[in-house]
Amino acid sequence: MAAEAGISRGTVSRVLNNEPYVSETARRAVEAAVAKVGYVRNAAARNLVTQRSRAIALIVHEPHSVVLDDPNIGNILIGTNAVLSDADHQLVTLMIDSQRDSDRVIEYLRGGFVDGAIILSARTGDPISEAIAELGLPASFVGHPPDAPAIPFIGIDNRAAAEAIVERLVATGRRRIGMLASGLDRDSGQDRLAGFQAALGDLFDPALVVRHPFYSYAAGAEGMAELLERDPHIDGVFAASDAVAAGAMDVLHRQGISIPEQVGIVGFDDSSWAIRCTPLLSTVRQPAETLGRRAAQQVLDQLLDGGEAPDGVILPTEIVWRASA
Amino acid sequence: MAAEAGISRGTVSRVLNNEPYVSETARRAVEAAVAKVGYVRNAAARNLVTQRSRAIALIVHEPHSVVLDDPNIGNILIGTNAVLSDADHQLVTLMIDSQRDSDRVIEYLRGGFVDGAIILSARTGDPISEAIAELGLPASFVGHPPDAPAIPFIGIDNRAAAEAIVERLVATGRRRIGMLASGLDRDSGQDRLAGFQAALGDLFDPALVVRHPFYSYAAGAEGMAELLERDPHIDGVFAASDAVAAGAMDVLHRQGISIPEQVGIVGFDDSSWAIRCTPLLSTVRQPAETLGRRAAQQVLDQLLDGGEAPDGVILPTEIVWRASA
């Protein structure tokens, strides 16, 4: 094409990449040549030169549960988008709702459409995480599965946070304390259960742990009904998320059980659920927007440095004590 | 590259596109040539040949409001993804949170990264919709702004649905009926207000319409407080969405006003908000997942036919009468 336009290859490249410092004459010559040889002025074509798409994927597992019940995802998205936008990178969110989605997303990642990826809510044995590690794609986990490949992550100390809030539940005199555990196929769920058990010590009774795959309102409603069947005299509940707590509180209300007088309940996230419960929910504040921001920054750092990937980063959490316990 | 491999250009293309009916010998020859000339086996590169990325963008405006307060978006996403996944297309969700995002998304759409687009919650004067029309990109609006370019859409009749639910509010004897109006910069908000006015006829009082930009819980909470200041004897409320209604109901509860005895309230969407209110919310059922499915199908149809774009399609809604009015 440089031959067609009668100008240097560097000039052609500058025109095609929309770079400055190209004379109007040269630009017209290149564009005429482009029209003549049928070259498509196309970012996908530019990738061939720059090997960069300036797009970063955010991979979201479990859309039903996450999108409908987890307001954290919104804040993570907003934080991620803000940082990538400032760096002129396009955030593209990819949803995994089936094995077919998973296979296709792996092909998409292999296809050069994105320069990096942020992975939310990955479970153990996640094939996408493995594919990203194999591809050597710059990436970051928000939270990470116990068997995660060597990809940097950003997260919180779920175990310590759970232990701290459950200890305060014990300190208010509760003795028959149950847990509505969710997400036990990933670090967040496993660590929250471990923190619960550590805080209770001798008070821990495995029969008072009800398990559900998702961090959802429905999980809380079903789980609380089950917990009350197992022990009608339960006096404390640790819900694995605020959405779970909201479902549980509605069941307690419907059965005429008063909160916090008869049952104290605490959640996790400090999402919008926590301030729409009656009474307001005591919970662990998760810095969701900052998690998104830092994950985006981790990916950008890898792209710019091209050097050693950063290690994992743990952000602090905070207990927000309200009226529910 | 065909010259490098010593085989036909068609064979090179078939290998690079992963098509069948290529001999193993030819495939190896092409792959060796690829390695020699530094060609990247890259979906972005394949686009140059096929002009297809097999990716479709879903463009979401207002992430703060939509992601945090609007469960419709989750169901629209799930419906869209299901149809595209069946057709082996990748859904990529793009979020617009600033003018900078808007400009960059337009560049992305021009860049050949996607074959089509679905546009959610577009407002009047939306530059992305205009860019899509200019590009001739196969596209579909879910809902559409009054000044929308000639792009197919899928939607509901917001005006008729609003009129029907407000008429039943009138039929239960309410006479001082206010509206918490949202999203007046797009068809959904304008049409719901028009339906409200039509249903009330002579009962309509413009002073009892409180306006807010977003369909959010906060809009409902702020708007209800304002409405009670304007008229403490209000006895009916039409909230522009269920999230808005939930915010309003919490204000009514806090002020000791009983629902539905003193104030009857109805919402719009039949989202998860509606069944987490006390009492349960009467509302208009919006077929969110079907909207997503049909929008995806409209885009795929345009890609396959390459012919005339389909017109707009209006899906039926249904009134769900519960305890709040």
Side-chain angles (χ1 to χ4, degrees):
Chain A
M1 186 182 310
E4 288 284 340
I7 50 182
S8 80
R9 194 170 163 161
T11 302
V12 172
S13 171
R14 278 195 294 279
V15 170
L16 294 177
N17 286 297
N18 281 320
E19 286 173 16
Y21 312 120
V22 180
S23 75
E24 197 49 34
T25 315
R27 189 178 300 279
R28 289 213 190 110
V30 170
E31 291 182 346
V34 162
K36 193 169 167 190
V37 304
Y39 184 99
V40 181
R41 193 199 193 101
N42 179 307
R46 283 207 302 279
N47 293 355
L48 290 176
V49 181
T50 64
Q51 294 296 316
R52 291 287 307 276
S53 65
R54 299 191 77 83
I56 307 289
L58 179 72
I59 298 165
V60 181
H61 291 76
E62 282 163 26
H64 291 82
S65 165
V66 168
V67 174
L68 303 180
D69 286 303
D70 184 357
N72 279 322
I73 175 85
N75 285 316
I76 291 171
L77 260 164
I78 285 164
T80 304
N81 188 62
V83 167
L84 294 181
S85 186
D86 279 351
D88 283 322
H89 278 66
Q90 179 62 47
L91 176 66
V92 302
T93 304
L94 311 176
M95 207 166 78
I96 313 294
D97 196 21
S98 65
Q99 181 62 45
R100 188 165 182 171
D101 283 352
S102 176
D103 295 345
R104 199 190 51 252
V105 162
I106 289 172
E107 278 308 300
Y108 185 83
L109 296 172
R110 285 191 180 130
F113 287 99
V114 295
D115 300 335
I118 296 161
I119 308 135
L120 288 195
S121 328
R123 282 164 288 188
T124 51
D126 174 40
I128 294 176
S129 306
E130 286 160 22
I132 286 171
E134 273 173 36
L135 285 166
L137 202 64
S140 172
F141 283 111
V142 177
H144 67 305
D147 65 342
I151 292 174
F153 65 90
I154 183 90
I156 58 168
D157 188 338
N158 283 286
R159 189 183 191 284
E163 189 170 349
I165 198 163
V166 176
E167 268 169 5
R168 292 191 58 175
L169 200 58
V170 175
T172 61
R174 316 286 174 179
R175 287 298 173 266
R176 297 160 87 100
I177 302 175
M179 177 169 177
L180 303 174
S182 291
L184 292 168
D185 55 354
R186 71 204 71 170
D187 65 320
S188 62
Q190 292 172 7
D191 291 354
R192 289 175 202 180
L193 176 54
F196 173 75
Q197 182 167 358
L200 287 190
D202 291 345
L203 291 176
F204 177 74
D205 177 354
L208 298 186
V209 177
V210 177
R211 292 148 196 266
H212 193 283
F214 302 129
Y215 290 104
S216 65
Y217 176 92
E222 291 163 25
M224 191 68 231
E226 169 72 26
L227 204 52
L228 287 168
E229 276 185 23
R230 291 189 194 174
D231 184 351
H233 302 295
I234 201 136
D235 62 6
V237 176
F238 172 41
S241 84
D242 294 349
V244 173
M249 287 169 84
D250 279 358
V251 168
L252 290 167
H253 288 315
R254 256 177 257 132
Q255 301 205 8
I257 297 170
S258 65
I259 307 168
E261 293 76 9
Q262 291 172 272
V263 173
I265 181 164
V266 296
F268 205 106
D269 284 343
D270 198 25
S271 70
S272 53
W273 286 101
I275 49 170
R276 291 173 193 167
C277 297
T278 310
L280 301 182
L281 185 66
S282 297
T283 187
V284 173
R285 180 167 296 159
Q286 172 143 221
E289 187 176 333
T290 308
L291 288 171
R293 289 184 164 271
R294 296 288 292 271
Q297 199 56 58
Q298 278 190 340
V299 173
L300 290 174
D301 288 349
Q302 292 168 64
L303 280 168
L304 295 177
D305 298 350
E308 279 297 291
D311 290 335
V313 174
I314 297 292
L315 297 180
T317 55
E318 179 189 343
I319 291 181
V320 184
W321 217 244
R322 297 197 181 94
S324 70
Chain B
M1 187 183 308
E4 287 285 339
I7 50 184
S8 81
R9 196 171 162 161
T11 302
V12 172
S13 173
R14 279 195 292 281
V15 170
L16 294 177
N17 286 297
N18 280 320
E19 286 173 15
Y21 312 119
V22 180
S23 75
E24 196 49 34
T25 315
R27 189 178 300 279
R28 288 213 191 109
V30 171
E31 291 184 345
V34 162
K36 193 169 166 193
V37 303
Y39 184 99
V40 180
R41 192 199 193 100
N42 180 306
R46 282 206 302 276
N47 293 355
L48 289 177
V49 181
T50 63
Q51 295 296 319
R52 291 287 308 275
S53 64
R54 299 190 77 82
I56 308 288
L58 179 72
I59 298 165
V60 181
H61 292 75
E62 281 165 25
H64 290 82
S65 165
V66 168
V67 174
L68 302 181
D69 286 302
D70 184 356
N72 279 322
I73 175 85
N75 285 317
I76 291 171
L77 260 163
I78 286 164
T80 305
N81 188 63
V83 168
L84 293 181
S85 185
D86 278 352
D88 284 322
H89 279 66
Q90 180 62 45
L91 176 66
V92 302
T93 303
L94 310 177
M95 206 166 80
I96 313 293
D97 196 21
S98 65
Q99 182 61 45
R100 188 166 182 171
D101 284 352
S102 177
D103 295 344
R104 198 188 52 251
V105 162
I106 289 172
E107 279 309 300
Y108 185 83
L109 296 172
R110 285 192 179 131
F113 287 99
V114 295
D115 300 335
I118 296 161
I119 308 135
L120 287 195
S121 328
R123 281 164 288 186
T124 52
D126 174 39
I128 294 175
S129 306
E130 286 160 21
I132 286 171
E134 272 174 34
L135 286 166
L137 202 63
S140 173
F141 283 111
V142 178
H144 66 304
D147 66 341
I151 292 173
F153 66 90
I154 182 90
I156 58 168
D157 188 338
N158 283 285
R159 189 184 191 284
E163 190 171 348
I165 197 163
V166 175
E167 268 170 5
R168 291 191 58 174
L169 201 58
V170 175
T172 61
R174 317 286 174 179
R175 286 299 173 266
R176 297 160 86 102
I177 303 175
M179 177 168 177
L180 304 174
S182 292
L184 292 168
D185 55 354
R186 72 204 71 170
D187 67 320
S188 62
Q190 292 172 6
D191 291 354
R192 289 175 202 179
L193 176 54
F196 173 74
Q197 184 167 358
L200 287 190
D202 290 345
L203 291 176
F204 177 74
D205 178 354
L208 297 186
V209 176
V210 177
R211 292 147 198 266
H212 193 283
F214 303 128
Y215 291 104
S216 64
Y217 177 92
E222 291 163 25
M224 192 67 231
E226 170 71 25
L227 203 51
L228 287 168
E229 277 185 22
R230 293 190 193 172
D231 184 350
H233 302 294
I234 200 136
D235 62 7
V237 176
F238 172 41
S241 84
D242 294 349
V244 173
M249 287 169 84
D250 279 358
V251 167
L252 291 167
H253 287 314
R254 256 177 257 134
Q255 301 206 9
I257 297 169
S258 65
I259 308 168
E261 292 78 8
Q262 292 173 271
V263 173
I265 181 165
V266 296
F268 204 105
D269 284 343
D270 198 24
S271 69
S272 54
W273 286 101
I275 49 169
R276 290 172 195 170
C277 296
T278 310
L280 301 182
L281 185 67
S282 297
T283 187
V284 174
R285 181 167 296 159
Q286 172 145 220
E289 188 175 332
T290 308
L291 288 170
R293 288 182 165 273
R294 296 288 293 272
Q297 198 57 57
Q298 278 189 341
V299 174
L300 290 174
D301 288 349
Q302 291 168 65
L303 280 169
L304 295 177
D305 297 349
E308 280 298 288
D311 291 335
V313 175
I314 298 291
L315 297 180
T317 56
E318 178 189 345
I319 291 182
V320 185
W321 217 245
R322 297 197 181 95
S324 69

